[in-house]
Amino acid sequence: MIVIEREEDFLLIAQHEHALVSGEIVLHWKQKFLLRSKLREEADWAVSQHDRAWIPLDEHPSWNEEEKRPYSFIDYPLKEKLQAYQRGIKEVSERSSYAGILCSSHYQSFFSKDSGDPQIEKFIAEEEKRREELASHMKMEVPSDIYQLHFERLQFCDDLSLYVCMQEPGIPKEEEVSWFRDGFRQQFDVAPEGIMPRWEDEKRVSLDPFPFEHEFEVRIPYRLVSKRAIEEIGLEKAYHQAEINHRTVTFVE
């Protein structure tokens, strides 16, 4: 869950909904930098499905008693999160080995092999083994540069969707989430020095340089869950009773 706390309520966006926005974003990528192919279709699908691990967790949002707010994808308990990651990767890989490899690499990138946490070390070892097995099932070997491009695109589209989901529209640059304040980390042929996002107003985000074919719009579903409702009937019931709203964001040059 993506959680933005406000004075009277929490703005909540389910992780899979954010991922579907990522999947819409990737479809607009400049064609001349990535030829259309079956492999690209699988890579694009991986972008849209990379957070399906969160579907069952977000159906039953849980309360962080220590922070007095719903658990977000950032602070969700590690054991349950790792179990969900592996369940989601398995679901993706059952349809596409290549998409499963990409999603596995994406989730593993969140952790360090030097963490010293046995849960993380076990997760990394199992995912490395999974990717080897999935690669052996593929009918073709993917060139390393193509794989890296697909992986970087997944992470960029994930970051760009998070950029518009984790922040109030129109937020000044100096108040942005620190992850994105200095631009996105990924580099591409179209953006060898990275891409800088900026809210132009409450409905438009500019990207410099612009990696897409044309300007386009995405719709972001969210729920406003009042703090009073959470106190009265609990988080899960309040979440499911809250109306689903949408806001739009247009990406511009």
Side-chain angles (χ1 to χ4, degrees), residues 158-225:
D158 178 34
D159 283 353
L160 181 54
S161 179
L162 287 174
Y163 179 84
V164 296
C165 289
M166 288 178 66
Q167 309 182 110
E168 294 286 2
I171 190 170
K173 191 67 180 170
E174 62 272 13
E175 297 177 19
E176 288 182 357
V177 174
S178 60
W179 296 356
F180 312 122
R181 200 175 298 146
D182 296 324
F184 297 119
R185 55 200 161 137
Q186 300 84 17
Q187 297 177 334
F188 306 100
D189 289 346
V190 67
E193 297 181 4
I195 297 174
M196 178 65 71
R198 185 181 303 275
W199 285 95
E200 297 296 326
D201 52 42
E202 293 186 356
K203 291 184 177 295
R204 297 182 305 144
V205 167
S206 65
L207 298 167
D208 181 26
F210 193 69
F212 303 111
E213 284 285 341
H214 46 69
E215 297 180 358
F216 65 98
E217 177 183 283
V218 295
R219 296 179 78 235
I220 302 168
Y222 66 92
R223 303 184 198 220
L224 294 177
V225 182

Side-chain angles (χ1 to χ4, degrees), residues 55-249:
I55 293 175
L57 300 184
D58 285 350
E59 276 294 305
H60 305 282
S62 55
W63 185 255
N64 186 333
E65 186 61 38
E66 183 177 343
E67 299 295 333
K68 304 301 181 186
R69 67 203 301 268
Y71 275 112
S72 75
F73 73 100
I74 298 172
D75 59 7
Y76 204 89
L78 180 63
K79 179 180 178 181
E80 291 84 353
K81 181 158 60 175
L82 292 177
Q83 290 173 345
Y85 284 174
Q86 294 195 302
R87 183 174 57 246
I89 295 165
K90 182 176 183 293
E91 290 177 3
V92 170
S93 62
E94 286 173 349
R95 172 167 165 178
S96 164
S97 293
Y98 189 52
I101 291 171
L102 288 167
C103 289
S104 173
S105 296
H106 178 60
Y107 280 135
Q108 184 174 322
S109 73
F110 302 163
F111 306 106
S112 169
K113 289 186 176 182
D114 301 325
S115 68
D117 188 314
Q119 296 179 92
I120 292 174
E121 291 173 352
K122 181 173 181 289
F123 172 77
I124 290 174
E126 290 178 350
E127 288 310 307
E128 288 178 342
K129 180 180 179 182
R130 186 202 303 271
R131 291 197 299 275
E132 289 179 4
E133 292 175 350
L134 290 173
S136 71
H137 296 156
M138 293 183 63
K139 296 179 180 179
M140 62 173 291
E141 184 174 340
V142 182
S144 60
D145 59 332
I146 296 298
Y147 172 79
Q148 189 62 29
L149 177 54
H150 286 159
F151 178 68
E152 293 286 344
R153 271 195 329 140
L154 188 159
Q155 295 211 309
F156 170 77
C157 293
D158 178 34
D159 283 353
L160 181 54
S161 179
L162 287 174
Y163 179 84
V164 296
C165 289
M166 288 178 66
Q167 309 182 110
E168 294 286 2
I171 190 170
K173 191 67 180 170
E174 62 272 13
E175 297 177 19
E176 288 182 357
V177 174
S178 60
W179 296 356
F180 312 122
R181 200 175 298 146
D182 296 324
F184 297 119
R185 55 200 161 137
Q186 300 84 17
Q187 297 177 334
F188 306 100
D189 289 346
V190 67
E193 297 181 4
I195 297 174
M196 178 65 71
R198 185 181 303 275
W199 285 95
E200 297 296 326
D201 52 42
E202 293 186 356
K203 291 184 177 295
R204 297 182 305 144
V205 167
S206 65
L207 298 167
D208 181 26
F210 193 69
F212 303 111
E213 284 285 341
H214 46 69
E215 297 180 358
F216 65 98
E217 177 183 283
V218 295
R219 296 179 78 235
I220 302 168
Y222 66 92
R223 303 184 198 220
L224 294 177
V225 182
S226 76
K227 295 179 179 179
R228 174 176 292 183
I230 293 172
E231 290 179 1
E232 293 176 350
I233 62 176
L235 172 59
E236 184 171 345
K237 188 174 289 186
Y239 173 75
H240 286 291
Q241 289 185 5
E243 180 181 357
I244 299 176
N245 301 290
H246 293 82
R247 58 182 172 86
T248 60
V249 176

Side-chain angles (χ1 to χ4, degrees), residues 27-81:
L27 297 179
H28 297 276
W29 199 260
K30 284 193 174 182
Q31 299 301 318
K32 67 180 180 179
F33 291 105
L34 198 62
L35 296 177
R36 178 67 59 183
S37 67
K38 180 68 168 67
L39 201 61
R40 176 179 173 175
E41 290 175 8
E42 293 186 38
D44 288 353
W45 184 74
V47 176
S48 71
Q49 299 298 311
H50 77 266
D51 268 339
R52 69 174 300 105
W54 286 96
I55 293 175
L57 300 184
D58 285 350
E59 276 294 305
H60 305 282
S62 55
W63 185 255
N64 186 333
E65 186 61 38
E66 183 177 343
E67 299 295 333
K68 304 301 181 186
R69 67 203 301 268
Y71 275 112
S72 75
F73 73 100
I74 298 172
D75 59 7
Y76 204 89
L78 180 63
K79 179 180 178 181
E80 291 84 353
K81 181 158 60 175

